[in-house]
Amino acid sequence: MAPVLEVEHLARSYRANLSLKKYWILRDLSFTVERGEIFGFIGPNGAGKTTTIKLIMDLVHPDAGAIRILGEPHQSVAVKKRLGFLPENPYFYDYLTAEEFLDFYGRLFGFSREERRKKTTAMLERVGLANRRDRQLRKFSKGMLQRLGLAQALLNEPEFVILDEPMSGLDPVGRREVRDIILSLKAAGRTVFFSTHILSDTELICDRVGILSKGELKAVGSVSDLLGHQVSHWEVAFSGIDPGSLPGILAVVSREGSETLATSRDEESMKGLVRAILERGGSLHSVIPQRASLEDIFLREIGR
Amino acid sequence: MKGLILVLLGALAAGTAAVHVEGLRGGSAPGYHLLYLPSGRSLKALTLGYEGLAADLIYIWSIQYYSNYQIQDRYDYLDQIYRRVIAELDPHFLDPYLVGSMIMSVEANRDDLALKLLDTGTRNNPHEWILPFQAGFLCYNKLHDYACAKDYFQRAQAVPGAPAPVRRLYAEMYNRLGDKRTSLRYWAEIHDTADTDYVRQVSWMHVHDLKIEVDLDDLNAIVRRYHEEHGAPPAGLQALVRAGLLESVPLDPDGNPYTLSPDGATVRSQARRLLQGR
Amino acid sequence: MTRIWAIASNTFREAIRDRILYLLLVFALLFMGFSQILSLLTVGGEEKIIKDVGLACISLFGVLTSVFIGVALVSKEIERRTIYTIVSKPIHRYEFLLGKYFGLVLTLFVNTSVMTAWYYLILFLKGFADPRLLLAIGLIFMELLLITAFAILFSSFSTPILSTLFSLSLYLVGHLTWSLNLLQERLKGAGGRAICRFLYFALPNLEIFNVKAEVVHQLPIPATLPLWALLYLVGYGGAVLAAACLILRRRDFT
């Protein structure tokens, strides 16, 4: 199957006012997004994630490189019929009501009045704003605006959905709702590309991630590939024995009364520690292998 | 509370200052800077397509200004305001020409400026009879300059749509200038083309009296000729007929013959003049 | 086409819901009423004054509306980033721009109509009504359309403050191009005269749309003038809008 998004050697620079020096925001960025997957685009603030998304959405022109969406050149107006987009911290016409707002976008898609009515109602239901349809947007909270933003992004039942920091500013409930929507999109066979700097969200739902730092793609691949199957260290919880005398301890994480949580570097030292605890008559509470978290990988990659 | 006191103090201070400044400026009319307006095209440039409105506003201001008798030297800028500003901004605005010329003539006693203003108005509005008429009337009524009046009235009566009295005044000016013959000719035309009884009557009165005087002039001239040729005045008008200088003794407009005075010097008519004060 | 209309009707809706518009309109109506007071202060010329003030109000408030709303049409969308979700839909950027333009045109039309109706009522009650005034207002409306095109052009690349300055300056210049002809007569060198001539045609000549004097003084207006004026508007305005579309197309919404 052809990739849904192909980014090839994308470059973008900017010049500070009146100076001749160019600053590169993106250099030679290349990646693809396959059909039906959820792709997480992660990176620290200022890495160039929003710029990349703006380039994909033809809001900004690249210095070099090519972008293809669903096989078409990304500027094609026709292909935008099959896209959905939610920008970061979106601003909308605050003088419109929720219903007028979605109706307006429906007209941009060329839907008939009947279609607009149906889709507007369906979308408002889906994002939980059905009882606010007559309220002006200027009275919406940030969470409500974000949900409405999702509604306009999904109004045309797009094949490919692009979201820039969709979870930003939301409380845990809101974040969970957005995650659920993204998963439901995947279940319906759509492709989702979203950027975020909150790693826990990505770990939970993404099929693949790309780590962007200072305009370069440091790593890209499926979550499990990146994390590896390796165990990075072991966590051992026990009580009744002073840890200072035990072998195989890499570090003591915490001590509370007689309860200790310690780490061991590898399986060998872990076994040595467990044996020692048992031999000396201590109580073993838990032994848990720790895999590298995405955060570890992330911090490692952006440090490179 | 403090804020309110500040506001009141501020208002008091500003009000006092405003009142004093007004006193300092010495009782000039508001908008007196308009007296120093540039004229002509530079002013037109300033108004950006709103010249008509600008002319209106300046005209309204001028009415207030010139009706304020407390301003001593307000007539110094009459020409500037009316002819060089308002007329330049809106040449077709008629009221300033008329009112301005009246102010100039009646109040400021500057008939020369009034005529200049009306001339400008006539030049800009060749199809308006009232402007040359007003100028003619000024010459006639105030200056008693009948030659000037005659020229203006001629101009005025030639404009299509000029009311009939203008032509009558025109005809009468010739009389005032002493050219009774031309006056008679025009009055006769007016009489022949009269379409109301009133006009017919009035014009007849002029024709009547003028005819008598023209006839008298002619006859007196013939009498003098007779005198020169024959060395002695004629015995009567019949003598002139016998001498071949007249076809017949002419009749005055009432139908009565003219007579010669006993000393044979002047021809007379027993007809009563219809117009008083001639 | 429907997309342009969607943007246009939305722009119209935004303008209608903006209270500034009502302020301007109320002022305009008050001013026309003010002309009644003016006629108390004058000797003669009442009809002319009321007509002049009315036409000036319609013209001036139209220009103010056109400029103050027009210069923010595009730049506000870019600055507030409301444009992101619009341009990402299947719509050309030029359709967006034209939609904004026609939305403001519709607003101006409604404004002008309201003012004209009020104006005509005043005139009718006084017995001064003259259908040729509608011709003058029609041409004023055309002038507003051209000014709006310029306001949008500036809006596509400049901030509202600068755009306002540019637009108002252009309005000034547009009513002064006749002075270039005068200047040309005074200049000695052929180069200078050529520049004058060129500028006279290159700069927008807004006096073409000004028949206020002719209408108020019952002077004749050539029958073909409105048609030529329309052609001028379509040609010049079209070019300006096209330039705005080109600029917007190349713009980066950073």
Side-chain angles (χ1 to χ4, degrees):
Chain A
M1 268 229 113
V4 161
L5 174 67
E6 294 163 90
V7 172
E8 287 166 12
H9 306 296
L10 201 59
R12 167 85 186 157
S13 66
Y14 86 99
R15 231 173 238 148
N17 288 337
L18 296 178
S19 99
L20 289 171
K21 182 155 188 253
K22 259 200 216 177
Y23 296 93
W24 290 99
I25 305 175
L26 297 174
R27 280 179 193 280
D28 199 16
L29 180 66
S30 301
F31 65 94
T32 60
V33 174
E34 305 295 331
R35 187 171 288 275
E37 72 177 356
I38 300 178
F39 189 104
F41 201 50
I42 58 182
N45 290 330
K49 303 191 299 295
T50 299
T51 305
T52 306
I53 290 187
K54 282 188 183 174
L55 282 161
I56 293 172
M57 293 310 303
D58 195 26
L59 293 172
V60 155
H61 301 94
D63 287 13
I67 303 174
R68 265 192 300 284
I69 303 178
L70 297 165
E72 308 286 335
H74 74 292
Q75 295 124 322
S76 147
V77 162
V79 86
K80 292 187 181 156
K81 279 209 170 83
R82 303 147 73 187
L83 292 186
F85 171 56
L86 177 62
E88 181 185 3
N89 291 329
Y91 287 88
F92 302 125
Y93 296 132
D94 59 2
Y95 54 90
L96 292 177
T97 65
E99 187 169 6
E100 288 169 339
F101 174 80
L102 286 178
D103 182 76
F104 169 64
Y105 285 105
R107 291 164 97 181
L108 294 184
F109 281 114
F111 298 146
S112 71
R113 186 182 303 203
E114 191 51 41
E115 281 180 299
R116 294 200 304 263
R117 216 178 42 78
K118 279 209 296 243
K119 288 181 194 278
T120 300
T121 311
M123 267 306 131
L124 286 173
E125 285 269 1
R126 179 139 176 220
V127 298
L129 289 172
N131 59 339
R132 302 270 201 273
R133 65 192 303 149
D134 289 324
R135 189 176 295 197
Q136 276 192 334
L137 263 59
R138 65 174 102 236
K139 306 221 173 77
F140 273 31
S141 71
K142 178 162 167 100
M144 288 157 77
L145 280 176
Q146 196 80 353
R147 283 190 269 162
L148 193 62
L150 267 178
Q152 63 83 31
L154 302 176
L155 191 68
N156 55 328
E157 288 161 61
E159 296 169 45
F160 183 33
V161 181
I162 298 162
L163 311 168
D164 193 356
E165 306 267 2
M167 263 86 87
S168 85
L170 294 182
D171 63 13
V173 176
R175 305 228 308 257
R176 161 79 173 273
E177 286 173 352
V178 172
R179 281 203 305 271
D180 287 343
I181 291 181
I182 295 179
L183 285 170
S184 71
L185 286 173
K186 171 171 172 162
R190 321 279 179 79
T191 313
V192 179
F193 175 89
F194 73 96
S195 78
T196 181
H197 57 268
I198 304 171
L199 299 175
S200 49
D201 299 326
T202 355
E203 229 172 322
L204 284 170
I205 58 177
C206 289
D207 297 317
R208 290 203 303 144
V209 298
I211 302 180
L212 191 73
S213 173
K214 298 206 185 82
E216 287 177 17
L217 202 57
K218 301 289 189 194
V220 68
S222 70
V223 175
S224 45
D225 283 346
L226 283 181
L227 293 183
H229 297 288
Q230 284 190 316
V231 174
S232 65
H233 57 276
W234 294 81
E235 266 187 10
V236 180
F238 59 91
S239 60
I241 298 192
D242 175 17
S245 57
L246 289 167
I249 288 187
L250 178 61
V252 172
V253 177
S254 68
R255 286 189 75 172
E256 229 182 271
S258 63
E259 291 184 20
T260 309
L261 181 64
T263 55
S264 294
R265 180 196 309 270
D266 51 28
E267 199 170 341
E268 274 299 315
S269 31
M270 178 275 291
K271 284 185 182 160
L273 175 60
V274 166
R275 245 196 318 271
I277 293 171
L278 293 172
E279 278 170 8
R280 295 188 204 178
S283 298
L284 189 61
H285 295 296
S286 65
V287 177
I288 301 177
Q290 299 295 317
R291 292 197 166 70
S293 74
L294 194 54
E295 186 173 338
D296 300 326
I297 307 292
F298 179 77
L299 291 171
R300 184 185 76 206
E301 293 298 339
I302 67 174
R304 279 208 288 125
Chain B
M1 196 57 212
K2 254 195 258 188
L4 195 60
I5 293 180
L6 277 175
V7 168
L8 287 173
L9 278 179
L12 194 63
T16 316
V19 168
H20 275 245
V21 166
E22 198 182 19
L24 281 176
R25 287 270 175 86
S28 323
Y32 67 95
H33 334 79
L34 286 173
L35 296 171
Y36 307 109
L37 276 174
S39 57
R41 291 191 183 132
S42 43
L43 190 59
K44 197 165 160 173
L46 284 174
T47 53
L48 299 177
Y50 295 99
E51 317 88 53
L53 184 65
D56 292 343
L57 295 175
I58 296 177
Y59 176 62
I60 292 175
W61 168 82
S62 76
I63 299 291
Q64 309 311 309
Y65 183 70
Y66 285 111
S67 31
N68 182 352
Y69 297 112
Q70 292 181 343
I71 304 173
Q72 300 302 348
D73 49 357
R74 62 188 185 279
Y75 296 131
D76 290 353
Y77 294 95
L78 274 170
D79 188 53
Q80 169 77 357
I81 297 289
Y82 286 100
R83 191 173 63 88
R84 298 183 56 206
V85 171
I86 299 181
E88 281 281 349
L89 283 175
D90 194 348
H92 301 292
F93 190 12
L94 294 185
D95 299 273
Y97 295 120
L98 298 171
V99 172
S101 61
M102 269 203 278
I103 297 175
M104 286 168 180
S105 168
V106 173
E107 304 219 354
N109 218 20
R110 291 292 306 268
D111 303 304
D112 57 327
L113 291 181
L115 288 176
K116 218 157 133 186
L117 178 63
L118 288 167
D119 284 343
T120 305
T122 309
R123 193 171 50 245
N124 290 332
N125 300 281
H127 300 297
E128 293 290 338
W129 63 269
I130 192 150
L131 295 167
F133 175 75
Q134 180 123 326
F137 201 79
L138 178 68
C139 290
Y140 165 58
N141 195 41
K142 186 172 185 217
L143 301 176
H144 305 297
D145 178 347
Y146 301 119
C148 166
K150 175 198 75 152
D151 288 333
Y152 279 121
F153 286 143
Q154 177 187 32
R155 184 78 197 267
Q157 60 90 36
V159 174
V166 183
R167 189 159 169 78
R168 297 204 284 276
L169 270 170
Y170 174 52
E172 183 57 17
M173 287 306 108
Y174 278 103
N175 183 28
R176 297 294 174 107
L177 285 171
D179 182 351
K180 302 194 199 289
R181 232 165 277 272
T182 314
S183 187
L184 173 63
R185 188 170 78 240
Y186 284 131
W187 274 116
E189 261 179 46
I190 292 171
H191 177 261
D192 292 343
T193 56
D195 50 5
T196 64
D197 284 338
Y198 170 75
V199 175
R200 221 185 324 270
Q201 274 166 358
V202 167
S203 52
W204 169 249
M205 298 202 310
H206 286 267
V207 166
H208 177 271
D209 288 4
L210 280 170
K211 181 104 182 34
I212 294 174
E213 299 192 22
V214 168
D215 285 349
L216 288 180
D217 282 347
D218 288 345
L219 288 172
N220 276 321
I222 295 178
V223 164
R224 279 195 295 278
R225 222 174 104 193
Y226 182 94
H227 194 143
E228 279 166 35
E229 284 179 12
H230 292 87
L237 291 180
Q238 279 295 4
L240 298 177
V241 179
R242 279 195 301 273
L245 292 167
L246 267 184
E247 259 189 33
S248 59
V249 176
L251 300 174
D252 66 24
D254 289 346
N256 301 318
Y258 291 101
T259 53
L260 191 58
S261 64
D263 60 3
T266 29
V267 182
R268 285 206 284 252
S269 166
Q270 63 195 60
R272 216 167 34 88
R273 300 292 191 274
L274 295 177
L275 291 167
Q276 308 296 34
R278 298 286 292 245
Chain C
M1 209 22 96
T2 44
R3 295 192 288 256
I4 297 182
W5 173 241
I7 304 271
S9 62
N10 212 44
T11 307
F12 177 70
R13 193 171 8 196
E14 178 176 13
I16 291 291
R17 294 187 186 177
D18 185 359
R19 269 156 283 204
I20 295 289
L21 203 70
Y22 294 117
L23 220 72
L24 284 177
L25 200 58
V26 162
F27 262 112
L29 298 180
L30 278 180
F31 253 79
M32 282 204 253
F34 169 64
S35 65
Q36 303 279 61
I37 301 177
L38 280 183
S39 56
L40 289 175
L41 294 171
T42 185
V43 173
E46 188 193 6
E47 179 178 348
K48 175 180 191 290
I49 290 172
I50 293 183
K51 284 185 179 172
D52 278 338
V53 169
L55 285 176
C57 278
I58 294 178
S59 169
L60 208 56
F61 285 100
V63 170
L64 290 178
T65 306
S66 154
V67 169
F68 287 139
I69 298 187
V71 299
L73 277 183
V74 176
S75 53
K76 191 166 80 166
E77 295 255 4
I78 297 178
E79 192 219 334
R80 297 220 187 138
R81 306 194 286 174
T82 47
I83 200 177
Y84 287 2
T85 45
I86 299 184
V87 169
S88 56
K89 298 289 179 280
I91 179 173
H92 294 277
R93 287 194 188 185
Y94 78 80
E95 288 173 320
F96 171 73
L97 192 117
L98 287 181
K100 287 303 224 179
Y101 177 72
F102 285 115
L104 183 51
V105 165
L106 187 60
T107 310
L108 286 169
F109 180 73
V110 169
N111 258 23
T112 307
S113 302
V114 169
M115 286 198 275
T116 303
W118 175 243
Y119 181 46
Y120 241 74
L121 187 65
I122 295 178
L123 288 175
F124 186 69
L125 290 175
K126 297 226 151 212
F128 298 146
D130 176 7
R132 287 216 317 171
L133 286 170
L134 289 176
L135 177 63
I137 295 175
L139 282 167
I140 288 174
F141 185 69
M142 282 195 229
E143 181 183 355
L144 293 179
L145 295 195
L146 188 55
I147 295 172
T148 307
F150 274 106
I152 278 213
L153 172 67
F154 297 132
S155 180
S156 68
F157 64 85
S158 178
T159 64
I161 295 184
L162 280 179
S163 300
T164 306
L165 274 174
F166 291 151
S167 302
L168 291 178
S169 308
L170 211 66
Y171 178 72
L172 234 84
V173 165
H175 282 282
L176 290 177
T177 52
W178 53 268
S179 58
L180 281 168
N181 277 343
L182 295 178
L183 185 60
Q184 186 200 15
E185 283 162 28
R186 304 247 178 137
L187 286 181
K188 304 255 169 61
R193 292 157 83 101
I195 292 181
C196 280
R197 206 81 189 118
F198 170 71
L199 282 177
Y200 175 71
F201 284 112
L203 293 169
N205 180 3
L206 297 176
E207 281 288 316
I208 289 180
F209 303 106
N210 184 3
V211 295
K212 299 199 276 281
E214 285 86 342
V215 162
V216 167
H217 288 297
Q218 321 275 15
L219 295 171
I221 301 174
T224 52
L225 177 71
L227 294 172
W228 286 118
L230 187 64
L231 184 63
Y232 190 72
L233 165 68
V234 169
Y236 209 133
V240 167
L241 285 177
C245 289
L246 282 175
I247 292 179
L248 193 64
R249 177 135 63 94
R250 304 183 53 113
R251 185 99 193 246
D252 285 328
F253 301 133
T254 48

